[in-house]
Protein backbone atom coordinates (compact mmCIF):
# COMPACT_ATOMS: atom_id res chain seq x y z
CA UNK A 1 0.00 0.00 0.00
CA UNK A 2 1.34 3.42 -0.95
CA UNK A 3 -0.05 6.44 0.88
CA UNK A 4 1.08 9.35 -1.27
CA UNK A 5 -1.19 12.07 0.06
CA UNK A 6 -2.17 12.41 3.67
CA UNK A 7 -2.91 15.26 5.99
CA UNK A 8 -5.49 17.34 7.74
CA UNK A 9 -6.11 20.87 6.58
CA UNK A 10 -6.52 23.27 9.47
CA UNK A 11 -6.57 27.02 9.87
CA UNK A 12 -3.35 27.31 11.86
CA UNK A 13 -2.32 30.42 13.73
CA UNK A 14 0.32 31.47 16.22
CA UNK A 15 -1.18 31.82 19.71
CA UNK A 16 -0.14 34.48 22.22
CA UNK A 17 2.33 32.06 23.82
CA UNK A 18 4.13 31.78 20.47
CA UNK A 19 3.01 28.20 19.75
CA UNK A 20 0.86 26.83 16.96
CA UNK A 21 -1.70 24.58 18.66
CA UNK A 22 -3.12 21.87 16.38
CA UNK A 23 -4.63 19.09 18.51
CA UNK A 24 -6.94 17.96 15.69
CA UNK A 25 -3.92 17.20 13.50
CA UNK A 26 -2.28 15.22 16.33
CA UNK A 27 -5.47 13.21 16.79
CA UNK A 28 -5.75 12.62 13.02
CA UNK A 29 -2.13 11.48 12.68
CA UNK A 30 -2.38 9.25 15.76
CA UNK A 31 -5.37 7.48 14.21
CA UNK A 32 -3.57 7.14 10.86
CA UNK A 33 -0.42 5.74 12.42
CA UNK A 34 -2.39 3.25 14.52
CA UNK A 35 -4.24 2.05 11.40
CA UNK A 36 -0.94 1.75 9.50
CA UNK A 37 0.57 -0.23 12.37
CA UNK A 38 -2.39 -2.65 12.27
CA UNK A 39 -1.94 -3.06 8.51
CA UNK A 40 1.80 -3.69 8.90
CA UNK A 41 1.18 -6.16 11.73
CA UNK A 42 -1.15 -8.03 9.35
CA UNK A 43 1.59 -8.24 6.71
CA UNK A 44 0.85 -5.25 4.49
CA UNK A 45 3.86 -3.56 2.86
CA UNK A 46 3.21 0.13 3.60
CA UNK A 47 5.00 3.13 2.07
CA UNK A 48 3.99 6.53 3.43
CA UNK A 49 4.93 9.99 2.28
CA UNK A 50 4.50 12.65 4.97
CA UNK A 51 4.46 15.95 3.11
CA UNK A 52 2.75 19.29 3.16
CA UNK A 53 0.20 20.04 0.50
CA UNK A 54 -1.09 22.87 -1.65
CA UNK A 55 -4.88 22.82 -1.55
CA UNK A 56 -6.03 23.52 -5.10
CA UNK A 57 -9.34 25.02 -4.06
CA UNK A 58 -7.97 27.22 -1.25
CA UNK A 59 -4.23 27.71 -1.87
CA UNK A 60 -2.01 27.72 1.22
CA UNK A 61 -4.85 28.65 3.55
CA UNK A 62 -5.66 26.18 5.22
CA UNK A 63 -2.38 24.47 6.14
CA UNK A 64 -1.45 20.80 6.27
CA UNK A 65 2.11 20.39 7.52
CA UNK A 66 3.93 19.93 10.80
CA UNK A 67 5.67 23.31 10.53
CA UNK A 68 4.10 26.76 10.42
CA UNK A 69 5.45 29.10 7.76
CA UNK A 70 5.13 32.86 7.88
CA UNK A 71 4.93 33.50 4.13
CA UNK A 72 5.71 37.21 4.56
CA UNK A 73 9.06 36.60 6.26
CA UNK A 74 9.91 33.00 5.32
CA UNK A 75 10.32 32.16 9.02
CA UNK A 76 9.01 28.81 10.19
CA UNK A 77 8.54 26.89 13.40
CA UNK A 78 7.31 23.48 14.43
CA UNK A 79 3.65 23.27 15.34
CA UNK A 80 2.62 21.21 18.36
CA UNK A 81 2.07 18.36 15.90
CA UNK A 82 5.67 18.66 14.68
CA UNK A 83 7.02 18.38 18.21
CA UNK A 84 4.62 15.46 18.86
CA UNK A 85 5.77 13.68 15.69
CA UNK A 86 9.42 14.17 16.65
CA UNK A 87 8.67 12.24 19.87
CA UNK A 88 6.85 9.52 17.89
CA UNK A 89 10.00 9.09 15.80
CA UNK A 90 12.30 9.10 18.86
CA UNK A 91 10.18 6.43 20.57
CA UNK A 92 9.65 4.44 17.36
CA UNK A 93 5.90 4.79 17.93
CA UNK A 94 5.96 3.23 21.39
CA UNK A 95 3.41 5.73 22.74
CA UNK A 96 0.83 5.36 19.97
Amino acid sequence: MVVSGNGLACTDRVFLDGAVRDPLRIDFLTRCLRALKRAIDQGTDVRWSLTDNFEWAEGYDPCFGLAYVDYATGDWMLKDSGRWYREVIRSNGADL
Side-chain angles (χ1 to χ4, degrees):
M1 171 174 48
V2 176
V3 181
S4 61
N6 186 35
L8 178 68
C10 297
T11 304
D12 296 329
R13 66 181 185 278
V14 180
F15 283 75
L16 291 175
D17 64 358
V20 178
R21 307 276 176 223
D22 56 345
L24 294 177
R25 185 172 290 110
I26 293 170
D27 180 75
F28 174 82
L29 290 171
T30 299
R31 292 169 190 270
C32 287
L33 290 172
R34 287 177 180 171
L36 288 174
K37 182 179 182 327
R38 282 193 305 274
I40 291 167
D41 289 347
Q42 295 172 5
T44 304
D45 180 16
V46 175
R47 308 300 167 141
W48 186 26
S49 172
L50 181 64
T51 60
D52 203 348
N53 189 25
F54 175 81
E55 182 62 36
W56 289 104
E58 301 180 51
Y60 289 110
D61 185 55
C63 300
F64 283 83
L66 303 177
Y68 176 83
V69 178
D70 180 335
Y71 294 115
T73 65
D75 293 337
W76 67 274
M77 68 174 145
L78 284 179
K79 300 173 188 175
D80 283 356
S81 60
R83 286 191 291 282
W84 168 85
Y85 195 70
R86 178 176 53 205
E87 294 308 313
V88 169
I89 292 169
R90 283 185 182 155
S91 72
N92 197 27
D95 296 330
L96 290 174

